[in-house]
Amino acid sequence: MTLSVGVIGTGMIGRDHIRRLTRVLSGVTIAAVSDIDRERAADAAPEGAEVFDTPQALIRSDKVQAVVICSWGPAHEEQLLDCIAAGKPVFCEKPLVTSEDAALRVMQAELAHGRRLVQVGFMRRFDADYRRLKAVLDGGSLGAPLMMHSVHRNASVPEGLYTSDMPLNDTLVHDADIARWLLDDEVAGVEVRVPRRSTRGKDLRDPVLVLLHMASGVIVDVEISVNIAYGYDIRGEVSCETGVAALPDRPATVVSDRHGIRREIPADWRERFIEAYDQEFREWIVAAANGTATGPSTWDGYAATLVGDAALRAVDSGTREAIRMIEQPGLYARPAAMAAE
Ligand code: NAD
Ligand code: ISE
């Protein structure tokens, strides 16, 4: 069976996902696209796909069995609620939503539906390097994790669209999610330190240093730099009782030429996580074809949203801000051994 998909939001990542859904992956076809900028949607539409004037019309269409949301974060809540009301599986790019209340509304709707429908675009969980790192930690040979160091550097971000709060409530969500997943833990508190600003970031609060206090006592330090010019550089290392496990340098290919010996840094997230995005969609397609969702859930999106909110409070207060989560609904409980869930 071929899964018939509608894509909402045909900007940078929407186009990249359309490319992988049409040219890389099998078992899927794009039947519909929509964007508030109709021309952009028409331009991105693959052959045979209908361009819809509104996301709501796309979601309701009989041509669409499952939906991929790649619009801006503030638009996600309404589109997610419409997908859930229509009972259609939905892949939603991060952030799930942009406030705790919105996350709870999406969760309530999915709980009322009674089956998981939402997968959130936390693609690092599908990255082979992160999966190997998790396997080492879960294997227990290094003892208990004590500290984690996470580095999240972007060469640049879109001027005007990317605002000063976004290092904390848009970019940090990836580090928060991967820490929760790798360590099988929840974030209990957040501190933020703001060092000297990069002059490249104009009005942005960039860089920032974040401390995630996990419920177990593990501390995760996160460097977020969003205008660092030299490339997209993602690093991760976990210090445990009897050893350390780290992501490898990416890519591992070493180039030697008349300038010396070097490893080339990926330009952006599309290049660094290309296989991870492919894999997250492979797994999504299988689940969506069965009318459900797998992988990062509404619960995970809610947890990451709380971290972003707490980080923004921590900038203002200058102290550790606590996170209080509701009790986890059974729908989101997962067997500890499951790889990406
Ligand atoms: P973008 O600005 O390039 O594209 C967003 C598109 O959504 C635009 O074409 C815009 O017109 C459209 N849009 C906005 N509101 C809409 C609405 N209400 N209905 C329909 N269309 C609407 O942004 P982007 O970089 O493609 O990011 C899109 C989403 O993907 C964001 O949530 C972002 O955080 C996320 N993202 C995730 C990753 C990742 O690594 N997982 C990487 C990049 C972006
Ligand atoms: C972007 O939206 C992403 O999700 C990228 O993975 C992240 O590195 C970047 O900072 C965000 O703007």
Side-chain angles (χ1 to χ4, degrees):
M1 194 194 104
T2 299
L3 183 72
S4 182
V5 167
V7 178
I8 299 171
T10 53
M12 274 177 83
I13 205 162
R15 280 171 178 264
D16 199 40
H17 289 337
I18 288 173
R19 177 194 59 76
R20 67 175 35 84
L21 291 171
T22 51
R23 296 202 211 143
V24 182
L25 303 176
S26 53
V28 62
T29 182
I30 295 189
V33 293
S34 180
D35 194 292
I36 38 168
D37 181 338
R38 201 179 194 285
E39 267 181 43
R40 194 178 293 170
D43 187 51
E47 210 183 319
E50 182 172 345
V51 180
F52 281 84
D53 287 333
T54 65
Q56 290 67 35
L58 176 148
I59 292 165
R60 281 195 300 266
S61 166
D62 289 340
K63 290 182 174 176
V64 171
Q65 293 172 302
V67 178
V68 173
I69 298 178
C70 300
S71 54
W72 295 320
H76 291 179
E77 178 189 358
E78 187 183 357
Q79 294 166 2
L80 281 164
L81 290 174
D82 286 343
C83 289
I84 295 169
K88 296 191 180 178
V90 51
F91 174 94
C92 181
E93 263 308 338
K94 48 63 58 178
L96 174 76
V97 288
T98 48
S99 74
E100 176 177 0
D101 286 350
L104 291 172
R105 284 191 287 271
V106 172
M107 205 185 295
Q108 279 313 321
E110 197 177 36
L111 289 169
H113 179 76
R115 193 174 69 233
R116 272 197 60 191
L117 286 175
V118 179
Q119 178 175 328
V120 185
F122 289 134
M123 75 298 184
R124 292 187 184 187
R125 295 185 184 209
F126 301 86
D127 176 70
D129 296 338
Y130 273 114
R131 284 186 164 186
R132 276 191 288 271
L133 184 54
K134 182 160 177 61
V136 171
L137 297 174
D138 288 350
S141 61
L142 303 182
L146 307 174
M147 289 182 288
M148 177 172 166
H149 313 288
S150 191
V151 170
H152 189 160
R153 298 184 183 136
N154 285 246
S156 64
V157 283
E159 211 176 307
L161 284 176
Y162 191 94
T163 60
S164 210
D165 285 348
M166 287 172 77
L168 296 174
N169 69 3
D170 183 84
T171 294
L172 175 67
V173 295
H174 284 297
D175 304 272
D177 182 69
I178 205 66
R180 295 178 56 250
W181 178 71
L182 280 174
L183 302 169
D184 206 6
D185 209 344
E186 289 296 354
V187 184
V190 183
E191 284 180 75
V192 178
R193 296 286 175 271
V194 183
R196 180 180 182 175
R197 281 191 188 202
S198 164
T199 54
R200 289 176 39 78
K202 308 252 164 44
D203 297 328
L204 291 184
R205 191 188 295 118
D206 169 37
V208 286
L209 182 65
V210 181
L211 289 187
L212 303 178
H213 295 270
M214 309 304 288
S216 63
V218 173
I219 294 182
V220 182
D221 62 81
V222 187
E223 172 195 323
I224 308 260
S225 296
V226 296
N227 276 292
I228 205 152
Y230 75 90
Y232 187 73
D233 195 2
I234 303 298
R235 304 182 191 190
E237 181 174 290
V238 183
S239 302
C240 304
E241 289 168 311
T242 61
V244 174
L247 297 177
D249 284 345
R250 289 266 303 203
T253 308
V254 179
V255 179
S256 304
D257 63 13
R258 65 194 172 84
H259 301 296
I261 302 174
R262 66 179 186 280
R263 285 198 175 85
E264 289 177 342
I265 309 290
D268 62 23
W269 34 269
R270 282 174 297 201
E271 188 181 341
R272 166 62 182 85
F273 287 111
I274 187 166
E275 290 100 356
Y277 295 119
D278 289 349
Q279 187 58 25
E280 75 177 344
F281 272 100
R282 267 187 212 104
E283 298 185 26
W284 178 71
I285 290 164
V286 172
N290 286 313
T292 185
T294 184
S297 65
T298 301
W299 177 260
D300 299 308
Y302 159 72
T305 303
L306 294 186
V307 173
D309 287 354
L312 289 175
R313 292 199 306 275
V315 170
D316 291 336
S317 70
T319 59
R320 174 173 164 169
E321 291 291 331
I323 290 183
R324 285 186 190 80
M325 303 181 80
I326 61 165
E327 197 175 325
Q328 189 181 45
L331 185 66
Y332 304 115
R334 63 192 157 90
M338 290 194 79
E341 301 211 0

